[in-house]
Amino acid sequence: DAKTTQPPSMDCAEGRAANLPCNHSTISGNEYVYWYRQIHSQGPQYIIHGLKNNETNEMASLIITEDRKSSTLILPHATLRDTAVYYCIVRVPYSGGGADGLTFGKGTHLIIQP
Amino acid sequence: GAGVSQSPRYKVAKRGQDVALRCDPISGHVSLFWYQQALGQGPEFLTYFQNEAQLDKSGLPSDRFFAERPEGSVSTLKIQRTQQEDSAVYLCASSLYAGLINQPQHFGDGTRLSIL
């Protein structure tokens, strides 16, 4: 799986858009970008994924650069409940027969300020 | 509930004791994963089941760690002769079927294990 680089922490004001960057310069053509987040004392929660097109769902938007070497997760109107560690993961969707576990890094600790 | 359930939520054991951690995945989910999360770190993969078959146990740190899923639903992670370095949060996740592209993993809230 490709290695990802994320800033260790970020602050964002409540009600503003939170933009979380992720670098994945060694991504290969069949690898997807996934985002999970982990609120304190809870398990990780799936947010969104994409291959090369921008994606949007009820939680967030994912913008992937044209060369696919970086991406940005956007929370359009951050609330205090969005304070969490956000993990960017790059991997093939299925390895076929095993080794399907996710590889988490240290993620970005996003703190939403009131 | 409809989510992944783990029990106990907290477990304290003395060094050398055996412990068993339980995971109830979402009903109908074929794939089940165990992860270990040390304080301040991201989760690390331990093992993976497809139904009752343990297809990958490459992440288990030692032969003191053993996982099973005998009927393809509930899973148990057992740690024998616990040591202080086993202290961590143990997370369980399930997905509908890993073979389906982009099935997300649904996580439980974990068992926090403390070894004294």
Side-chain angles (χ1 to χ4, degrees):
Chain A
D1 295 345
K3 180 179 171 63
T4 61
T5 304
Q6 299 178 253
S9 65
M10 292 181 62
D11 288 349
C12 179
E14 188 177 19
R16 305 297 290 266
N19 297 281
L20 293 95
C22 179
N23 285 325
H24 32 79
S25 59
T26 61
I27 192 170
S28 60
N30 62 344
E31 288 182 313
Y32 283 68
V33 180
Y34 299 79
W35 283 83
Y36 282 75
R37 74 179 182 183
Q38 188 171 24
I39 295 169
H40 182 63
S41 295
Q42 296 183 20
Q45 175 191 24
Y46 166 81
I47 301 173
I48 199 168
H49 71 270
L51 180 62
K52 55 183 178 181
N53 297 320
N54 297 338
E55 303 287 346
T56 296
N57 63 19
E58 65 279 3
M59 290 184 68
S61 295
L62 174 60
I63 308 298
I64 302 174
T65 58
E66 192 168 343
D67 64 7
R68 303 208 323 121
K69 293 185 177 182
S70 66
S71 59
T72 301
L73 178 74
I74 301 172
L75 308 178
H77 305 287
T79 71
L80 297 179
R81 289 175 294 179
D82 292 321
T83 292
V85 178
Y86 288 76
Y87 296 99
C88 170
I89 299 167
V90 173
R91 53 162 285 167
V92 296
Y94 177 55
S95 66
D100 291 308
L102 298 170
T103 301
F104 292 84
K106 292 190 174 182
T108 296
H109 187 193
L110 175 66
I111 299 172
I112 306 301
Q113 304 282 1
Chain B
V4 176
S5 178
Q6 292 188 247
S7 60
R9 190 80 170 87
Y10 302 94
K11 176 69 177 177
V12 179
K14 293 183 178 179
R15 186 164 57 91
Q17 289 182 330
D18 298 348
V19 298
L21 313 179
R22 177 186 169 105
C23 173
D24 284 83
I26 293 173
S27 177
H29 277 195
V30 169
S31 297
L32 186 144
F33 306 80
W34 284 97
Y35 294 82
Q36 180 189 58
Q37 186 170 24
L39 189 64
Q41 305 295 317
E44 292 194 357
F45 170 76
L46 294 177
T47 187
Y48 161 61
F49 288 86
Q50 184 172 305
N51 294 306
E52 69 279 2
Q54 190 174 17
L55 297 186
D56 187 349
K57 51 184 181 180
S58 61
L60 295 176
S62 77
D63 58 8
R64 296 186 296 105
F65 287 70
F66 172 75
E68 61 183 4
R69 194 186 184 198
E71 297 179 358
S73 55
V74 171
S75 178
T76 303
L77 176 67
K78 298 179 179 178
I79 309 173
Q80 298 176 324
R81 305 181 303 281
T82 54
Q83 304 189 2
Q84 284 193 321
E85 61 262 31
D86 300 334
S87 295
V89 175
Y90 290 86
L91 295 161
C92 176
S94 70
S95 66
L96 186 59
Y97 176 45
L100 294 175
I101 290 178
N102 294 322
Q103 287 295 306
Q105 293 186 22
H106 301 267
F107 284 79
D109 287 338
T111 294
R112 181 176 296 277
L113 176 64
S114 298
I115 305 300
L116 304 179

